[in-house]
Structures are given as structure tokens and as C-alpha cells.
């Protein structure tokens, strides 16, 4: 299984960025892809996830209304559209994947340890 992120960069407050995560080697059926971020000196935190079979999406309250997770028609590229970015959004952003029997677990299983596969991360800086 491979996950490759792209799309990070530097942006001014109020700006937008779109991150992409290409997933290969993990069957679409019963799988979940999540986005996490980790700021310097802080723990890695869950932001959003998508249940690939049905496209069900879930997001943390801290980013709802600003960040949107989606997938392409082939369900192999997961995107995170980030709008109205703030300095506190500065972090390394990671996509991760796991097998998930249900969309419910894709939503409730937000722990870092529940994800088996990780990308290399992409830096987002807002200043």
C-alpha cells in the first residue's frame, strides 16, 4: 500500500490550498482514508476522513466549514480543500489509510494508531 501526498506550500492568512493523496494497493471496498496534521510540539491530530465505498465524509468541528474532504471518481485520489486558512493551521499534513468494515468506524476510529498506512506528509505554512 502506498500513499503519496501533494499540494502543500505557503499561503497568506485567508488563502486556500488543496492537498491530494493518491492511494494505491488498498482495495476500495471497506477502506477509509483520513487526513491528519501535526504542528511543531503538538500531537498528531485527526482532521477528516472519507469512507471510500460510499464517499461518506467526516470532519472535525475545528475545520468544518473551512476544510472539505473528497475523492475522485476512481476513488483513488483523496483531496483536502482548505479555505480561509489561519496561522494555526500551519502543520505537516498526512494522509493515512486503513481497512474499515463500516463508515461508522471511519468516523469514530480517529486515533492515529488505528491507521495502518501513512504517507510521507506535506508541509502547510500559513503566515
Amino acid at each position: 500500500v502506498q500513499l503519496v501526498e501533494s499540494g502543500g506550500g505557503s499561503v497568506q492568512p485567508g488563502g486556500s490550498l488543496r492537498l491530494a493523496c493518491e492511494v494505491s494497493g488498498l482495495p476500495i471496498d471497506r477502506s477509509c482514508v483520513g487526513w491528519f496534521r501535526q504542528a511543531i510540539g503538538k500531537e498528531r491530530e485527526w482532521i477528516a476522513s472519507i469512507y471510500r465505498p460510499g464517499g461518506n465524509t467526516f470532519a472535525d468541528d475545528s475545520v468544518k466549514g473551512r476544510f472539505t474532504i473528497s475523492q475522485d471518481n476512481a476513488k483513488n485520489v483523496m483531496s483536502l480543500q482548505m479555505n480561509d486558512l489561519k496561522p494555526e493551521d500551519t502543520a505537516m499534513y498526512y494522509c493515512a489509510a486503513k481497512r474499515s468494515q463500516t463508515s461508522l468506524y471511519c468516523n469514530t476510529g480517529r486515533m492515529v494508531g488505528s491507521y495502518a498506512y501513512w504517507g510521507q506528509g506535506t508541509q502547510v505554512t500559513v503566515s
Side-chain angles (χ1 to χ4, degrees):
V1 178
Q2 276 195 315
L3 291 82
V4 179
E5 300 107 331
S6 60
S10 296
V11 65
Q12 293 183 342
S16 298
L17 282 174
R18 187 177 182 89
L19 307 183
C21 174
E22 184 171 5
V23 180
S24 59
L26 181 65
I28 295 170
D29 187 37
R30 299 178 183 177
S31 66
C32 172
V33 173
W35 282 99
F36 290 76
R37 67 184 178 186
Q38 186 168 18
I40 294 175
K42 294 189 176 182
E43 293 186 353
R44 191 169 299 188
E45 61 177 359
W46 175 84
I47 302 171
S49 57
I50 185 166
Y51 187 59
R52 294 170 80 197
N56 314 70
T57 61
F58 314 97
D60 187 76
D61 288 344
S62 66
V63 301
K64 276 183 181 177
R66 298 192 301 126
F67 291 11
T68 303
I69 188 171
S70 62
Q71 62 184 356
D72 68 342
N73 289 337
K75 302 179 181 179
N76 289 323
V77 179
M78 263 53 65
S79 297
L80 184 69
Q81 177 66 41
M82 305 185 295
N83 298 328
D84 190 24
L85 283 161
K86 307 176 187 299
E88 52 264 40
D89 294 317
T90 295
M92 184 71 79
Y93 283 69
Y94 299 89
C95 70
K98 64 182 178 182
R99 290 177 175 82
S100 179
Q101 293 294 320
T102 65
S103 62
L104 176 63
Y105 182 60
C106 187
N107 181 24
T108 60
R110 302 177 179 185
M111 304 75 68
V112 170
S114 74
Y115 283 80
Y117 311 104
W118 291 84
Q120 80 284 358
T122 185
Q123 179 68 37
V124 171
T125 302
V126 185
S127 65

